[in-house]
Amino acid sequence: QKEVEQDPGPLSVPEGAIVSLNCTYSNSAFQYFMWYRQYSRKGPELLMYTYSSGNKEDGRFTAQVDKSSKYISLFIRDSQPSDSATYLCAMRAGGTSYGKLTFGQGTILTVHP
Amino acid sequence: KAGVTQTPRYLIKTRGQQVTLSCSPISGHRSVSWYQQTPGQGLQFLFEYFSETQRNKGNFPGRFSGRQFSNSRSEMNVSTLELGDSALYLCASKAGGRNEQFFGPGTRLTVL
């Protein structure tokens, strides 16, 4: 079983929809959580970073972390065709894990006009 | 501030050859991590360097190695290439004491 599970989709939504992307994890040592967006043939781009349970909002994006359930989410409001990409969740443990990120498989999102 | 840069962007090699990939981190970032991305396995951590020292290593064979220079630039080397090494190799940098990692565009390696 993978340490981080992410539904690969694909997910197809109409423009303006609210999108919900989710990851579950099994390693209770994970303390830091990130969401990346990756366009085709590009490197991942950091969207959101959180380190505690609760919500964090940035523009149309909201990241949610529930450490008790080992579950994280990314919500995209008023989705746009330019949001079409692969979304990756990533996590890091504390202590000597330093820069090692563990990624989910990625969810492919398409927002159609 | 310039982002993470990687060279070359594309590379074609044959089995048995070796390859060296280069990464220049964001100015001021001393931590550089390398990842391999494939359709089947997704993004997997290779290793991390900080101040010229490897301080973390993923579960890859010894054919994969790396190093970091005093200016924080990093290289990774893959020897005796196999078909399964075909992948997008990504480099990420972060500032000391921070958790956010920033990725470069990657080097796409094709092994024939």
Side-chain angles (χ1 to χ4, degrees):
Chain A
Q1 186 189 0
K2 290 182 181 288
E3 282 187 290
V4 181
E5 299 280 357
Q6 183 177 5
D7 186 343
L11 193 58
S12 181
V13 301
E15 183 175 355
I18 296 174
V19 176
S20 171
L21 305 165
N22 313 295
C23 287
T24 58
Y25 62 95
S26 56
N27 188 346
S28 56
F30 287 141
Q31 296 183 21
Y32 308 99
F33 306 91
M34 279 148 268
W35 285 95
Y36 286 86
R37 176 175 63 193
Q38 187 174 24
Y39 292 113
S40 181
R41 312 195 79 79
K42 303 279 190 186
E45 171 195 8
L46 181 63
L47 281 177
M48 300 285 284
Y49 159 66
T50 57
Y51 65 92
S52 60
S53 285
N55 293 354
K56 180 179 180 180
E57 193 173 314
D58 184 1
R60 296 186 296 112
F61 299 92
T62 299
Q64 195 173 75
V65 173
D66 182 347
K67 288 186 177 180
S68 62
S69 301
K70 297 190 179 69
Y71 187 89
I72 69 170
S73 299
L74 178 71
F75 298 96
I76 307 174
R77 289 183 300 281
D78 187 26
S79 57
Q80 301 296 308
S82 58
D83 294 328
S84 297
T86 298
Y87 289 79
L88 298 146
C89 63
M91 310 181 184
R92 182 176 91 75
T96 57
S97 67
Y98 300 118
K100 178 183 177 182
L101 293 179
T102 302
F103 283 83
Q105 281 290 98
T107 299
I108 300 170
L109 171 67
T110 301
V111 181
H112 50 87
Chain B
K1 229 181 209 184
V4 178
T5 58
Q6 293 186 247
T7 57
R9 293 293 312 279
Y10 301 91
L11 210 46
I12 300 175
K13 293 286 187 179
T14 56
R15 276 180 300 172
Q17 287 187 310
Q18 76 165 21
V19 67
T20 299
L21 312 181
S22 181
C23 170
S24 292
I26 292 171
S27 177
H29 287 192
R30 292 163 62 192
S31 164
V32 174
S33 296
W34 288 88
Y35 295 83
Q36 180 196 66
Q37 186 174 30
T38 59
Q41 298 298 317
L43 264 153
Q44 292 186 289
F45 174 78
L46 280 156
F47 30 66
E48 181 199 8
Y49 286 87
F50 181 82
S51 291
E52 302 178 66
T53 301
Q54 186 184 89
R55 66 177 182 181
N56 216 335
K57 190 175 188 306
N59 194 23
F60 278 82
R63 299 185 296 107
F64 292 82
S65 63
R67 59 178 176 167
Q68 187 179 35
F69 302 96
S70 58
N71 61 358
S72 294
R73 191 177 69 85
S74 177
E75 289 181 348
M76 69 162 281
N77 184 77
V78 188
S79 62
T80 320
L81 284 166
E82 300 176 0
L83 295 179
D85 296 334
S86 294
L88 181 67
Y89 289 89
L90 293 157
C91 163
S93 75
K94 75 180 189 74
R98 307 281 303 189
N99 290 304
E100 301 95 317
Q101 286 190 32
F102 300 91
F103 282 83
T107 294
R108 185 162 296 279
L109 172 65
T110 302
V111 182
L112 302 176

